[in-house]
Amino acid sequence: MLHVAAYIEAAAGSGQDRILWLEGDDLIGVALADGMGGMGGGTLAAESAVQYALEAMNEAPGLIVASQWPELFWRLDRRVNTTREAGETTLVALETDGRLVCGASCGDSGAWLVAGDRVVNLTEHQMRKPLVGSGQADPVSFTAELGDGLLLVASDGLFRYTGARNICETVRRVPLPDLPRALVDLVRLKSGRLQDDVAVFVAGRPPQ
Ligand SMILES: [Mn+2]
């Protein structure tokens, strides 16, 4: 099965990115959220969204296919929307059985497949708004063949501040367990600070 690694680093005074994942015998699932809203509302929304997404993935008998993901997101959207004090959040959630990758997203957190110097942006058709927790979420689902690709799921704190070229170069150079931190270092300022929270999850085949 695939190997996975994840890392989150908060920008000063921030900290509303969350990741949860599951590693089963035949399936890997991940949910990544970037919460919006002050007074802890964004954090609560992000934490609730990834937790509810993992519950849904644990309950589902097999791979949740693309056609099933929108309904699942609408259910999560209503649950976060009715969670007291919760704000809103981006959400990208997906599962892979090692062959197919199926999932959906709301907002600007993304999922890419990285293979050599090629990337496929699985979330390219996503809607930036409305977010999960608004009660009007507009999820866009996706399906792709994993192939030999590395699966990269990250918040806009990564994708906004670096590009495919740097990401591909880092994926080629750095072993998977160290990759999330190395990707965060791509967007680190000279001062060592980050401009936004960065959450990174990767899954890929172990080296032959
Ligand atoms: Mn962000």
Side-chain angles (χ1 to χ4, degrees):
M1 202 44 191
L2 305 177
H3 288 189
V4 309
Y7 178 62
I8 300 183
E9 187 170 320
S14 194
Q16 304 189 127
D17 282 10
R18 293 291 183 276
I19 308 174
L20 280 181
W21 70 91
L22 62 89
E23 292 178 73
D25 292 336
D26 310 311
L27 282 180
I28 286 173
V30 60
L32 182 150
D34 179 354
M36 312 279 162
M39 312 289 282
T43 303
L44 182 57
E47 279 173 1
S48 305
V50 295
Q51 182 197 320
Y52 299 158
L54 261 284
E55 282 172 20
M57 289 190 245
N58 273 318
E59 280 165 18
L63 184 70
I64 300 170
V65 296
S67 61
Q68 297 173 301
W69 276 104
E71 178 61 45
L72 197 154
F73 265 57
W74 290 322
R75 227 165 58 220
L76 296 183
D77 177 38
R78 285 192 295 271
R79 276 186 80 179
V80 176
N81 182 247
T82 52
T83 299
R84 273 176 60 91
E85 316 283 333
E88 300 182 3
T89 185
T90 74
L91 180 64
V92 49
L94 60 81
E95 284 186 336
T96 178
D97 59 4
R99 190 178 75 82
L100 285 180
V101 182
C102 303
S105 75
C106 261
D108 59 10
S109 301
W112 286 13
L113 286 179
V114 181
D117 56 3
R118 245 168 31 89
V119 303
V120 179
N121 181 354
L122 300 174
T123 45
E124 67 173 326
H125 300 299
Q126 68 188 181
M127 308 300 285
R128 296 176 62 89
K129 284 191 170 173
L131 296 173
V132 167
S134 66
Q136 299 174 320
D138 194 2
V140 177
S141 58
F142 52 81
T143 302
E145 300 238 353
L146 180 62
D148 292 328
L150 177 107
L151 179 62
L152 165 65
V153 184
S155 59
D156 69 326
L158 180 75
F159 293 124
R160 190 185 295 272
Y161 301 106
T162 189
R165 202 191 159 104
N166 285 338
I167 289 175
C168 289
E169 189 276 323
T170 306
V171 167
R172 274 197 303 269
R173 180 171 50 83
V174 178
L176 190 131
D178 304 323
L179 191 52
R181 271 198 96 104
L183 290 168
V184 172
D185 286 339
L186 286 178
V187 298
R188 194 179 298 286
L189 299 171
K190 284 201 181 100
S191 65
R193 295 164 69 102
L194 297 172
Q195 297 168 84
D196 187 10
D197 301 339
V198 189
V200 177
F201 170 93
V202 294
R205 299 189 197 287
Q208 299 292 314

